[in-house]
Amino acid sequence: MTDRSSRFPRLAVWLLCSSLFGAAAVHAQALRPSSGLRVPAAPVTSASTSRTADFIVALVNSEPVTNNEVRQRMVRLEQQLTQQSAPVPPRDQLARQVLEQIISERAQVQLGAELGIRVDEASLAQAEQSIAAQNQLTPEEFRRRIAADGVDINQLRNDLRNQILLQRLREREVDSKVRVTEADIDDFIRERQGSNDVSSLQLNLAQVLVAVPEDAAPDRVQTLQARAQGVADRARAGGDFAELAREFSDGPERANGGQFGMRPANRLPELFVEATRSLSAGGVAGPVRSPAGFHILKVIEKRQAGLPDVAVNETRVRHILLRLGPQLSEADAVARLAGYRQQLASGQVTFEALAREHSQDGSAKDGGNLGWAQAGQFVPEFEAAMGRLRPGEVSPPVVSRFGVHLIRVEERRQSTLSARDQREMVRGLVREQKINEATRTWVQDVRGRAYVEYREPPQL
């Protein structure tokens, strides 16, 4: 299902919170609360200010940073801090921090350009359309609104282009290189549980034991090791581990396909626990040597005992999707879906029938059914509209990057995540933590490699 498989970035939030948008700082009155438009407003500039105050304060690889850029960013940050009731640093301190921030961002944008990362007009238009949709506006209404609020559309698009470029750069240079292992997940859980041992870990392992007699000659040991390696190779190639255990294992559990059964990790040999520590279910380790011989181990099941039950809210939802294109404008799609909504309200037709006949999503054949979904599985516009509905209610037309939707909530429930789902939730937390750490290191490295020349203000 299209909406669930691709999450679009929350660009409206970027435009408010990202430190990139120094050139689009807000004027104290430019973005009126009554407008509700979540974009940065016009920069503070005037003819007199530009003539008397603008000058170069730094060069980043020969590219200038001007005093006006710093001042505009400062105004914007001061407003945000004030709105959040947060302390505002002294202006000289804030000026230094803002300048360093701009320098760091400028170096990253330059690196992205050097690496050939480009943002085409289609991507920019799609991002702009998403911002408009999140503000519940058509693209035309969006442009009229920001013009009325004093925002330079060209500057906004340039800032947005840089933000998309930075996102792609960081995905390429940082996010794509972050890996989360099963051991990372175990460590995270143990830290949260305050445990430094493996007592909370439960394992169901299977083994093939190739026994080695105590007085075996070196050539006999070598032969048995080769036999064990052959079994391991067959297991990793997809061979039936239970059959391999019954055929080759010298262990007493061979009749049970080599399985020990689920048991706490501290009741298993430490050698087995360490050998399978980084493996997930289905992984094969070995051969590993012990006094008894060579062991080939397979993880049948692995779970962290003591994980608290995690309750999540889920929503079962249906939708009708109309995709935009040369034959269907956004306005026409909205009008058409509004007509369907009126038919539903009058009882002329069922939602399922309309979805089967008109929806352009893969869920159409199932009456638009998207199944049970947790928070975060759909794009923000869809999620926001879905969250406002009670079971049985149908939304007004909702615009997203995929087109225009009509949404109906079927029912809601609270469910408990399985141990596997809990581990996947932890995997996401660990990945986010690793990405944040890696990003900080990467940003410092990019900044450190840039040539920066500071300039003194002109003497009046």
Side-chain angles (χ1 to χ4, degrees), residues 191-220:
E191 288 173 7
R192 295 305 182 271
Q193 294 174 334
S195 173
N196 293 318
D197 54 38
V198 295
S199 60
S200 59
L201 178 65
Q202 292 189 338
L203 292 169
N204 181 9
L205 299 181
Q207 79 155 343
V208 174
L209 169 63
V210 178
V212 177
E214 290 184 10
D215 57 351
D219 58 342
R220 176 61 176 161

Side-chain angles (χ1 to χ4, degrees), residues 182-192 195 277 304:
E182 295 299 313
D184 291 330
I185 297 174
D186 294 338
D187 289 341
F188 183 94
I189 293 171
R190 279 196 297 273
E191 288 173 7
R192 295 305 182 271
S195 173
R277 181 177 174 82
Q304 196 76 33

